[in-house]
Amino acid sequence: MRARGRAGGFLDVRLVTVLLASVLTSGCVTAQSTYPDMVNKGDAALARKDYPAALDAYMKAAKRDDSWGELNVAKIYENGQGVAKSDATAAEWYQKSADHGNPWAMNSLGSLYEEGRGVPKDLKKAADLFARSAGQENPWGIYNHGRALEGGFAGEKNQTKAIELFQKAAAMGNVWAQYTLGEKYASGDGLPKSDKQAVEWYRKAADQGNVWSQYKLGLLLEGTSEVPADLPGALAAYKKAAGQGNALAQANLGRMYESGQGVTADRKEALRYYKQSLSNGGPAWVAARVKALQ
């Protein structure tokens, strides 16, 4: 996942969501499939990592114009699971699935057009596909439609409507919409600045395993003018993010263990987290701390 940031800052990882939304999961929901038995068989094969069998089952459904079979064939090619990875082939199958009305395919195809993967980059087409997906109440389509409106993909920006869509997707449980609301409340971008509201939304996303929300929650729980310090809570949030390889969370854990901030000072543990941070491309200041502690 492509994401970079600096300790203490607010990271813009919206581009990361494009990749996440396009890949989504290894398998797919089979509701409304015309040939659910074939798609279910593909899901079972995929779960046991029998990719040839999965592709065979999905392809049988896809060749009968089943939109879920087509969607899953596309994902196998996008992920390169048992086949040569091919965004172009994925785009072809997403298009077939979208043409058959599948909102997940519309969203995934929109992501490919946004990035120019397998198809020529075309933000207007991406925006249209996201809007079509959102029109079918797809939570990822709603979220990405909001991103498209905020970014002016179709030539006109509408942040007010974008935030409404983020709020709708967040209420549906979309983790990146929840993260985005946390960012907006934390920065005051389009919403009244409120660290308390930011904590609420970061926590929702963090509870779903969103690594950047875990890290940002840790930052705020160290205490702000609005949020009383909860150092055990900050430590727990950082540890969750660190466990997912987040270099900034690892750096902050090193700092907390070195200084005894909210935890018993532990030079060895501090060094361990600092070294993890460096191995994951952590901030430059960590190298100095490693040198000082060795």
Side-chain angles (χ1 to χ4, degrees), residues 30-190:
T30 58
Q32 300 179 1
S33 170
T34 309
Y35 298 94
D37 289 345
M38 293 178 186
V39 178
N40 286 333
K41 185 177 179 180
D43 288 346
L46 198 65
R48 63 177 184 268
K49 297 185 179 180
D50 185 349
Y51 301 127
L55 180 58
D56 179 68
Y58 291 144
M59 190 66 78
K60 285 178 180 176
K63 287 183 175 179
R64 290 166 173 77
D65 294 333
D66 181 271
S67 73
W68 293 99
E70 292 164 339
L71 176 71
N72 282 315
V73 169
K75 289 191 180 300
I76 281 182
Y77 276 100
E78 185 178 11
N79 297 337
Q81 293 170 304
V83 296
K85 179 176 169 61
S86 173
D87 288 333
T89 302
E92 292 174 5
W93 284 105
Y94 281 139
Q95 184 67 67
K96 291 177 186 289
S97 182
D99 289 344
H100 288 132
N102 191 300
W104 294 95
M106 295 170 192
N107 178 72
S108 294
L109 184 59
S111 295
L112 294 184
Y113 273 110
E114 181 178 356
E115 291 198 313
R117 292 189 294 119
V119 291
K121 184 171 182 174
D122 190 326
L123 294 182
K124 190 171 182 180
K125 280 188 178 181
D128 177 66
L129 286 159
F130 292 148
R132 287 170 57 196
S133 179
Q136 293 195 48
E137 298 298 302
N138 181 280
W140 278 105
I142 293 167
Y143 168 69
N144 282 325
H145 183 32
R147 290 180 52 255
L149 288 174
E150 184 175 52
F153 287 15
E156 185 174 343
K157 295 185 178 183
N158 188 335
Q159 188 182 45
T160 299
K161 179 62 175 176
I163 290 175
E164 290 176 2
L165 290 168
F166 294 148
Q167 291 170 328
K168 181 176 181 179
M172 295 170 75
N174 184 281
V175 66
W176 284 105
Q178 293 169 347
Y179 169 84
T180 298
L181 289 179
E183 290 285 88
K184 291 191 173 301
Y185 277 115
S187 64
D189 176 21

Side-chain angles (χ1 to χ4, degrees), residues 279-293:
S279 69
N280 288 314
W285 62 267
V286 175
R289 300 315 311 149
V290 169
K291 184 176 181 180
L293 293 177

